[in-house]
């Protein structure tokens, strides 16, 4: 997703307009951030209809709580909005009880530790599709750890699991993702 770059005090002015209830500022915010926030949401929510609901709830939360937002520096609006989207996604997963960790020992135990395969030649859409095929618990922990920079302790607190469970689920998620990438690379390599 392209990063929104503001020049000068544009972002601060947008926040001020949003906090004053300016409807054109809300449209501008949506136009600037909708694609990025949809991408964040889709990392957690695989089902298209659920994604639309969570995305809508996140934007409602953003617009109804913008008065509480404190502008700190350039990029803080996007960081705050991203946090709202992640929290709404996690709230949805907890509500639906989809965050329960799925154990797939039978699939993963036979594999020997290997170097993670290269993703350089794989289109980003194919990577997103592979991520969406991960079991919900694996995908959630992978996203929190890799994209949100959360520690296993923080993930455990957010999801109500043990710290060790977070670490083992991340390990399993990486192994399953590596298996999908190897298959993709094998299926799409030039045939001799």
């Amino acid at each position: 997703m392209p990063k929104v770059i503001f020049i000068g005090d544009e972002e601060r002015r947008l926040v001020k307009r949003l906090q004053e209830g300016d409807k054109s500022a809300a449209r501008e915010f949506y136009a600037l951030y909708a694609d990025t926030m949809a991408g964040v949401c889709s990392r957690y929510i695989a089902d298209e209809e659920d994604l639309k609901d969570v995305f809508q709830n996140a934007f409602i939360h953003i617009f109804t709580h913008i008065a509480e937002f404190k502008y700190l520096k350039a990029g803080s609006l996007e960081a705050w909005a991203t946090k709202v989207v992640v929290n709404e996604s996690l709230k949805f997963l907890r509500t639906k009880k989809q965050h329960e960790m799925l154990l797939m020992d039978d699939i993963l135990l036979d594999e020997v530790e290997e170097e993670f395969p290269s993703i350089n030649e794989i289109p980003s859409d194919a990577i997103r599709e592979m991520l969406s095929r991960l079991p919900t618990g694996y995908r959630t922990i992978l996203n929190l750890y890799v994209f949100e920079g959360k520690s296993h302790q923080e993930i455990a607190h957010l999801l109500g699991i043990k710290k060790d469970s977070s670490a083992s689920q991340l390990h399993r998620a990486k192994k399953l993702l590596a298996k999908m990438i190897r298959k993709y690379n094998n299926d799409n390599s030039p045939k001799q």
Side-chain angles (χ1 to χ4, degrees), residues 86-103:
V86 169
N87 287 338
E88 285 294 321
S89 298
L90 294 177
K91 184 169 109 180
F92 171 81
L93 292 173
R94 280 190 298 272
T95 301
K96 291 291 193 173
K97 298 203 184 291
Q98 291 180 353
H99 75 287
E100 294 175 16
M101 303 304 121
L102 302 174
L103 299 177

Side-chain angles (χ1 to χ4, degrees), residues 3-186:
K3 190 105 173 128
V4 178
I5 299 178
F6 286 97
I7 298 170
D9 251 0
E10 290 177 47
E11 185 180 36
R12 184 185 305 271
R13 283 193 293 275
L14 177 60
V15 169
K16 186 175 186 316
R17 289 173 47 222
L18 286 166
Q19 291 175 331
E20 292 170 349
D22 182 339
K23 300 247 186 275
S24 68
R27 285 190 294 277
E28 185 178 335
F29 175 86
Y30 187 86
L32 288 169
Y33 293 105
D35 287 345
T36 301
M37 296 304 127
V40 169
C41 194
S42 70
R43 291 194 321 243
Y44 295 90
I45 311 297
D47 180 77
E48 193 67 32
E49 291 305 311
D50 291 339
L51 186 139
K52 288 176 186 175
D53 291 342
V54 172
F55 180 79
Q56 179 179 354
N57 289 341
F59 268 83
I60 289 169
H61 183 99
I62 288 167
F63 291 133
T64 58
H65 291 86
I66 191 70
E68 300 162 20
F69 171 71
K70 303 282 188 260
Y71 183 82
L72 302 173
K73 61 180 181 174
S76 61
L77 179 60
E78 181 175 354
W80 176 74
T82 299
K83 185 176 181 179
V84 170
V85 171
V86 169
N87 287 338
E88 285 294 321
S89 298
L90 294 177
K91 184 169 109 180
F92 171 81
L93 292 173
R94 280 190 298 272
T95 301
K96 291 291 193 173
K97 298 203 184 291
Q98 291 180 353
H99 75 287
E100 294 175 16
M101 303 304 121
L102 302 174
L103 299 177
M104 299 184 68
D105 293 329
D106 56 324
I107 295 174
L108 302 172
L109 285 179
D110 294 340
E111 287 190 30
V112 177
E113 274 303 316
E114 295 180 32
E115 188 175 311
F116 200 81
S118 171
I119 61 170
N120 293 340
E121 302 298 319
I122 302 176
S124 58
D125 288 348
I127 295 290
R128 275 194 292 278
E129 193 274 327
M130 287 178 216
L131 287 170
S132 74
R133 288 191 347 239
L134 288 173
T136 303
Y138 290 4
R139 185 177 61 249
T140 301
I141 289 174
L142 182 77
N143 280 305
L144 288 170
Y145 188 84
V146 173
F147 295 107
E148 308 308 327
K150 302 288 185 195
S151 69
H152 288 299
Q153 187 66 44
E154 292 169 312
I155 294 169
H157 177 72
L158 283 169
L159 299 179
I161 60 175
K162 293 179 183 173
K163 180 180 166 185
D164 292 343
S165 296
S166 174
S168 69
Q169 296 298 312
L170 176 65
H171 178 74
R172 290 182 176 124
K174 286 179 175 179
K175 286 187 86 160
L176 187 55
L177 184 58
K179 187 176 182 177
M180 287 186 226
I181 290 169
R182 280 188 207 92
K183 181 178 180 346
Y184 180 92
N185 285 339
N186 287 338

